[in-house]
Amino acid sequence: TYFLSQILMPSSRITWIDFCRVYTAFFVIVRHVDRWFVGVPTINYLADLFNFRSLIFFFFLMSGYFSHRPTEGQWVDVKRTKQLIIPYIFWCLFGMLVVYSPSMLSGDWSWLTPYKVASELGLTSWCYWNFTNVPLWFLRTLILLAFFAPLIHRVPSKVLIALVLISFAASDVLCDVDLEANESHRTLNHAQKGLPFRAYESELAFGFFAGGILLRRYAKPEALTAFLRSYALVPVLGSLVLLFPVLTWTFYPPVQSASLVLLGVCTTMSIGCLCERYLPRFTRVVASLGTASFFIYVTHYPILLCFRYALTGSWHGGLPVTLCYFLPFIILAVSVSLFFLLKKLCPGFLRVFAMAKV
């Protein structure tokens, strides 16, 4: 009864944005669940590709859009940075403990070294660094953006537009080199060559974060909502039209085109507005989980790893393709249940480590 009342309770937040937060978090789960079986893409893969692998950049756009304007004389945001660093450190170490729990239970603590901990925190490399912390590159990049947000806010609009466009163009250039560096990183025993993986995504993240700040100058939430509602079908139809050529021409990964990523972000927002209009009850239920979206994001990967280990006996074990269709929903349900349980028993934990206003 408690959980049901929490899900159905009315929200004073912006419904379509909270819907998109949860929608995006769910499809990040889909992305991290095995999507390939004997080289054949599953429905999960196609659902992910529909958004042109743009999901995480919606978070960067909204983070910039809702970032606080600087006070007089403020050039960096130390307070917001601290709020992000605390959960970042906690969830990095949590993922590490999950993966090394079998070693701990067997009495093997040889893995616990200063270098290993630093590596798990992403301090020794900017690459797509450790298996235990795959999703948290987003939070690490966001920490830097949040720190310099007041400075970005002070940039004139014309200059900021130019920086956003340069960022998008640079990410297109860096992508191929970046992916090659990742292959070297994987195949040469972590001997990296070229640019570290995630450089192009962090570059693109800056573009979307700065774009969110720029968007807020011209469109307050009410105006943005009205505009998106008026043209909601355009990005969705555009994504559907381009999906077949992208698949046919093996334009992979689509993230190497900033224009496709931008289309995917617009599609995500349009889907939120369309669902709010045509599926209002469903949208309100999903949007009521908006405060849990960050918790879903940071907990889904350890939960997925636990399922993989329990089902296959290995952290890297491949899951049966049929299970891949259902596991994202199971992981989402587990994460949401944990959120409401903690909300009832220990709301302070969520405020500090999940940045949830409970």
Side-chain angles (χ1 to χ4, degrees), residues 2 27 88 107 128-129 144 195 198 240 254 319 324 347:
Y2 171 78
F27 276 100
Y88 175 74
Y128 188 178
W129 72 105
L144 289 177
L195 295 169
R198 295 298 185 192
L240 289 173
L319 298 170
C324 292

Side-chain angles (χ1 to χ4, degrees), residues 12-172:
S12 59
R13 297 159 63 97
I14 302 174
T15 302
W16 72 266
I17 291 181
D18 274 342
F19 174 87
C20 288
R21 292 182 198 274
V22 181
Y23 167 93
T24 300
F26 172 72
F27 276 100
V28 170
I29 297 174
V30 168
R31 173 176 297 174
H32 290 138
V33 171
D34 285 359
R35 294 160 296 176
W36 292 83
F37 182 72
V38 196
V40 179
T42 68
I43 292 176
N44 288 349
Y45 171 79
L46 296 176
D48 175 30
L49 187 57
F50 171 69
N51 289 286
F52 303 112
R53 298 182 178 246
S54 64
L55 296 164
I56 203 65
F57 297 102
F58 168 78
F59 283 136
F60 284 116
L61 181 71
M62 288 294 103
S63 295
Y65 187 79
F66 288 108
S67 61
H68 297 294
R69 295 182 62 85
T71 57
E72 185 176 355
Q74 183 186 20
W75 294 93
V76 295
D77 192 340
V78 176
K79 180 180 179 181
R80 180 60 175 169
T81 303
K82 289 180 179 178
Q83 291 174 340
L84 293 170
I85 286 178
I86 291 173
Y88 175 74
I89 293 175
F90 177 84
W91 293 112
C92 279
L93 296 179
F94 180 80
M96 181 180 181
L97 291 175
V98 167
V99 169
Y100 289 102
S101 56
S103 298
M104 288 188 289
L105 292 174
S106 64
D108 178 12
W109 293 81
S110 60
W111 52 272
L112 187 58
T113 64
Y115 178 82
K116 186 64 178 177
V117 174
S119 178
E120 292 295 336
L121 292 173
L123 300 178
T124 60
S125 170
W126 197 261
C127 72
Y128 188 178
W129 72 105
N130 278 301
F131 169 70
T132 60
N133 300 319
V134 168
L136 293 180
W137 75 269
F138 154 75
L139 187 53
R140 182 184 56 183
T141 299
L142 185 60
I143 288 170
L144 289 177
L145 293 172
F147 182 74
F148 291 108
L151 177 61
I152 301 172
H153 270 283
R154 295 180 181 278
V155 176
S157 295
K158 291 182 179 179
V159 177
L160 197 56
I161 291 173
L163 289 176
V164 170
L165 294 177
I166 291 172
S167 173
F168 281 20
S171 70
D172 284 2

Side-chain angles (χ1 to χ4, degrees), residues 231-248:
Y231 299 96
L233 282 174
V234 176
V236 177
L237 293 176
S239 290
L240 289 173
V241 169
L242 288 175
L243 180 60
F244 180 75
V246 167
L247 284 173
T248 303

Side-chain angles (χ1 to χ4, degrees), residues 292-343:
S293 58
F294 180 83
F295 183 82
I296 294 169
Y297 183 87
V298 295
T299 58
H300 81 274
Y301 196 69
I303 294 172
L304 168 60
L305 291 180
C306 291
F307 270 109
R308 293 179 75 169
Y309 192 85
L311 294 170
T312 68
S314 168
W315 298 120
H316 300 272
L319 298 170
V321 66
T322 52
L323 185 59
C324 292
Y325 298 131
F326 305 105
L327 193 55
F329 296 96
I330 297 172
I331 294 172
L332 178 65
V334 171
S335 182
V336 170
S337 298
L338 287 174
F339 178 85
F340 285 125
L341 183 63
L342 288 170
K343 184 176 180 180

